[in-house]
Amino acid sequence: MTHTEGKTALVTGASRGIGRAIARRLAADGVWVAVHYGQRKEAAEETVAAIESAGGSAFPVRADLATDGALDTLFVELEAGLAGRPLDILVNNVGVYADPDDPAAMARDDYVAGISEVTPEAFDRIFTVNVRAAFFVTQRALRLMGEGGRIVNISSAVTRIAWPLLPYAMSKGALEMMAPRLANELGSRGITVNTIAPGITDDTQVNSWLHDMPGAVEGVAGMTALRRLGRPADIAAVVSFLVSDEARWVTGQLVDASGGLALAPTPPGM
Ligand SMILES: NC(=O)c1ccc[n+]([C@@H]2O[C@H](COP(=O)([O-])OP(=O)(O)OC[C@H]3O[C@@H](n4cnc5c(N)ncnc54)[C@H](OP(=O)(O)O)[C@@H]3O)[C@@H](O)[C@H]2O)c1
């Protein structure tokens, strides 16, 4: 029996990528998981099916977090799925790199727009999903959370490395401000709030380009101390620890989970 056996969790953006791995890991730890998704119902159903076939429990909940009114839908579905049980764990995992309302930018993975190319609309939409939604999902989730709850926000190594994702990096900087302040506010309820900052993680839509460009995987792996790309399960393992009773004395912290990305300058020619 694990420390998290029988707990409940909401993992946002759990239909794919890192969120899916977090949902699967928590379910393997015995947690009953609400698998949140935005658009891709089939992908969320695949996550739920993978959890159930491994003997775990999960249910899907939908809400487009770029849209006003999404929170009402999300929490109606969540509360129906929880059927009167409290929410023990919230993982704010959803994050977008480009304007989610610009299909062309999303399709061409145009994440590297310079400052002159970023429109006010794109900037606002990135902040809406990455910051505003995480804030108000947390506000609503706290109404369902009892003593000893756990909140984990997923940020990024881009807050300490000048990767060319300016509005995205600024949004993650804002998100990182949540944990220490909220941890202090919620400590009297025994609730911990922490942030994980992944590095470059494979098996995610944003990094599919790595496999299309000769030498890119090796080049990026060479930027990490551990000499490989991150895997979604690497991040999920850190979430599993932070939500467990073993991490009861850790709160308000930022945990880098990047394999030691950019600990040293990249040598010329890499
Ligand atoms: N991948 C990396 O290398 C990396 C590195 C550092 C940090 N991160 C952070 O890790 C987190 C997960 O990233 P990822 O690369 O695994 O993401 P991903 O593969 O692109 O998956 C995104 C997830 O978020 C959901 N989503 C996107 N926009 C949404 C919206 N407007 N409303 C509701 N749901 C929405 C998607 O749902 P649908 O399937 O329905 O679209 C999907 O479940 C993000 O916060 C990201 O910033 C990732």
Side-chain angles (χ1 to χ4, degrees), residues 132-196:
R132 192 172 186 268
F135 184 94
F136 287 105
V137 167
T138 303
Q139 186 186 68
R140 292 282 287 261
L142 280 167
R143 297 178 196 161
L144 303 174
M145 197 172 270
E147 188 83 8
R150 297 279 188 268
I151 299 170
V152 177
N153 294 330
I154 305 298
S155 180
S156 169
V158 295
T159 56
R160 67 173 173 83
I161 302 166
W163 209 257
L165 294 161
L166 183 52
Y168 171 74
M170 292 170 69
S171 73
K172 291 298 189 180
L175 182 68
E176 286 181 8
M177 288 301 105
M178 196 200 279
R181 282 144 193 85
L182 198 56
N184 207 37
E185 183 179 335
L186 298 177
S188 58
R189 289 171 58 182
I191 296 173
T192 68
V193 191
N194 291 290
T195 309
I196 299 172

Side-chain angles (χ1 to χ4, degrees), residues 13-18 36-40 63-66 93-97 129 154-156 168 172 198-201 204-207:
S15 53
R16 299 182 278 123
I18 292 170
H36 164 262
Y37 68 102
Q39 305 292 338
R40 295 172 173 81
D64 180 352
L65 296 178
N93 166 73
V94 162
V96 292
Y97 311 87
V129 177
I154 305 298
S155 180
S156 169
Y168 171 74
K172 291 298 189 180
I200 300 170
T201 309
T204 57
Q205 188 185 344
V206 70
N207 288 329

